[in-house]
Amino acid sequence: MDIRTASRVAGAASLIVGSLAIAIPIEITDENAPIAAQLHDYAQHSALAVLSNLVLIPVILIVPGVIYAARLARRGAPRLAFVGGGLSALGWIAGAMSIGAGQIALYQGSQLAEQAGAAALIDRMNGDPVYGTLVGAFVLGHAIGMIVLGVGLWRSRAVAPWVAAVFVAYPVGHVVGHAISPVVDTISGIFLLVSAVAVAAAILRTPNEQWDLPAGKAAAEPVAA
C-alpha cells in the first residue's frame, strides 16, 4: 500500500474513533460538586467510572485526528488550518493530561477506605497552578482551535458547508452545555461525531496526488499532464 494511502486511512480512523469516544455520554458526577460528593458518586458507580476511564484511551486519537483535518484544509486555507489545527491539538493534549488525570484520581480515591485524605489531595491537585494552566489550555485551545479549524474547512471548500458548520457547532455547544445543561453538551458530541465522519470521508476520497499538493496558489494550479 502507498504510504500516503496508509497515512490518510490512519488519519481518518483517528478522527472517527477519537470523536466517537468523546461523543459517548458518560456522566458519573456533578463536576461542580464538592470533591467529597464526587468521590461518593464515583464509589456508587464504580463500574461506570472504570468504563469512563477506559474511554480516555481512544479519546487521545482526536489529537492526530484534528491534525489530519487541518491537513485537509491546508491547501485552501493554510493559515486557518495551521492556527486551528495547532490550537486544537495542543488543547486536546492539555485536556488529556489534566481532565483525564483528574478523572482517574477521582476513581482511585473513591476506592480508598479513607476518602477524606483522597478529597484533600484532589483539592490540592485542583488548586495547583500547573494543573490549572493545563485545564485553561484545554478550554481555550480546543474551543477556539476547533472553531478556527472549522472555519478553515469551510474556507478551503474541502468539505460541504454544512459539515464545517456542524464541526463549529461542537465547541460552541460544548461550552454552552457546560454552562446550562449536560443535554446540550451531549448533542454537541453528536455534532462532532457526524462532522468528523464527513471530514474523514473527505480525507479518504482525496487522491494521493492532490494530498501532496502544496498550499496556496500552487495548490489551485492544474497538474501538468
Side-chain angles (χ1 to χ4, degrees), residues 84-211:
L87 286 177
S88 296
L90 288 173
W92 284 114
I93 291 172
M97 294 174 66
S98 56
I99 308 300
Q103 185 174 306
I104 293 171
L106 282 168
Y107 168 72
Q108 292 297 338
S110 72
Q111 304 304 299
L112 298 176
E114 178 51 57
Q115 292 190 5
L121 176 61
I122 295 172
D123 268 325
R124 289 181 65 88
M125 183 181 78
N126 290 342
D128 186 280
V130 174
Y131 182 84
T133 299
L134 288 170
V135 172
F138 166 64
V139 173
L140 294 177
H142 97 287
I144 297 175
M146 296 289 276
I147 291 174
V148 174
L149 181 54
V151 174
L153 288 167
W154 169 66
R155 287 289 300 274
S156 68
R157 299 182 181 177
V159 296
W162 73 265
V163 175
V166 174
F167 193 92
V168 170
Y170 160 70
V172 175
H174 179 61
V175 173
V176 172
H178 268 269
I180 63 172
S181 170
V183 175
V184 177
D185 195 19
T186 299
I187 294 173
S188 72
I190 297 173
F191 286 163
L192 174 62
L193 177 59
V194 170
S195 60
V197 170
V199 172
I203 292 173
L204 292 174
R205 288 195 303 265
T206 304
N208 289 329
E209 294 72 21
Q210 291 185 18
W211 187 254

Side-chain angles (χ1 to χ4, degrees), residues 2-102:
D2 190 319
I3 189 61
R4 296 172 297 180
T5 302
S7 173
R8 288 187 294 103
V9 170
S14 296
L15 191 55
I16 293 172
V17 174
S19 62
L20 175 60
I22 293 168
I24 296 175
I26 302 177
E27 177 145 2
I28 301 168
T29 188
D30 179 0
E31 297 176 359
N32 298 317
I35 297 300
Q38 294 187 45
L39 287 171
H40 179 266
D41 290 340
Y42 265 75
Q44 293 295 310
H45 305 92
S46 58
L48 190 61
V50 170
L51 175 61
S52 181
N53 287 347
L54 289 173
V55 169
L56 290 170
I57 298 173
V59 163
I60 63 176
L61 289 175
I62 196 65
V63 176
V66 295
I67 292 173
Y68 272 87
R71 180 69 173 77
L72 178 68
R74 183 183 69 94
R75 284 184 58 206
R79 292 180 180 84
L80 291 170
F82 171 72
V83 174
L87 286 177
S88 296
L90 288 173
W92 284 114
I93 291 172
M97 294 174 66
S98 56
I99 308 300

